[in-house]
Amino acid sequence: MPTAEAAHCSSDAPSCTDRPRADPSVLLSPVLCADGRLRCPWALSTPDVLDDHDTSWGIRPQLRSEWFRALSLEILQAGLAPGASVSRLPALEEVFSCFDPRIVAGLDDDAVDELLLDRRLIRNRAKLTAVVVAARAVRSWSGEDWQRELEPAEGTDHVQAVAGRLREHGLVHAGPGTIARLLARTGMTPGHLDGCFRC
């Protein structure tokens, strides 16, 4: 588990505070952290984001539950502060049965109402419902199915192509931003900057 020290940049390394906030190049270079590792700058947002970056982000899922977890996290994360979904991962694993899409697909409106009362969760009805809708669409998918659906189509924008493909399967709240993060989270597109120790 990363330590609090590891989440801070060393004094002689580039960091978000070393450059003007308006300079976008800060997002294009890895940051040297106190543990001696280079990381993507966004990894330093919160301890939960740091842990996610170091252990999960960019790794190709093997199990259907891992694919569904990645999709669920990004549906719930959309439009929120960094780490909003991963900081709630233990509670989400509990209420979504370790992200088994076959079980989540069976949740009804009453179950969603109960989830909205759980202060540990992101209590947004549209997003929680979108997770259930997604589960119903993908509950029979194998790992091979997931990879096929998330692969780029020749001559098309990868993100737009996947977003359109998933909408055809009935998914909602799966716009380009959510899909771009899903592709990076699952290693379908590069998820780390060149130089990051995770590359």
Side-chain angles (χ1 to χ4, degrees), residues 9-197:
C9 306
S10 62
S11 58
D12 59 349
S15 73
C16 293
T17 57
D18 290 334
R19 306 181 187 180
R21 190 174 293 273
D23 183 358
S25 64
V26 72
L27 300 177
L28 303 178
S29 301
V31 174
L32 180 62
C33 297
D35 62 357
R37 287 176 166 176
L38 288 167
R39 289 181 170 85
C40 304
W42 57 264
L44 308 182
S45 303
T46 70
D48 291 309
V49 173
L50 178 67
D51 183 53
D52 185 48
H53 171 276
D54 285 5
T55 62
S56 300
W57 186 270
I59 295 178
R60 188 71 55 87
Q62 299 299 314
L63 306 174
R64 70 175 69 194
S65 60
E66 294 173 342
W67 285 102
F68 181 60
R69 176 176 60 192
L71 175 60
S72 299
L73 287 175
E74 297 312 327
I75 288 174
L76 294 168
Q77 176 61 41
L80 300 180
S85 62
V86 295
S87 67
R88 295 166 169 82
L89 186 55
L92 291 169
E93 288 181 332
E94 178 187 326
V95 301
F96 288 139
S97 303
C98 294
F99 292 99
D100 186 333
R102 295 165 297 186
I103 297 176
V104 178
L107 298 181
D108 57 16
D109 290 343
D110 289 340
V112 172
D113 287 341
E114 290 186 19
L115 295 179
L116 289 169
L117 299 175
D118 192 331
R119 293 182 178 274
R120 301 173 302 163
L121 306 180
I122 294 171
R123 295 188 294 170
N124 179 301
R125 180 183 294 278
K127 289 184 176 183
L128 292 170
T129 300
V131 170
V132 175
V133 170
R136 292 170 183 166
V138 307
R139 58 185 156 189
S140 64
W141 288 10
S142 65
E144 290 77 13
D145 292 328
W146 276 100
Q147 291 195 61
R148 183 176 61 254
E149 295 295 339
L150 300 187
E151 284 178 350
E154 186 174 352
T156 64
D157 178 271
H158 190 177
V159 171
Q160 294 290 350
V162 171
R165 206 176 293 153
L166 294 184
R167 282 196 297 269
E168 290 177 359
H169 287 291
L171 272 70
V172 295
H173 280 268
T178 297
I179 298 306
R181 286 181 56 85
L182 172 65
L183 294 174
R185 173 174 288 282
T186 57
M188 297 298 293
T189 59
H192 296 277
L193 295 175
D194 287 342
C196 174
F197 87 96

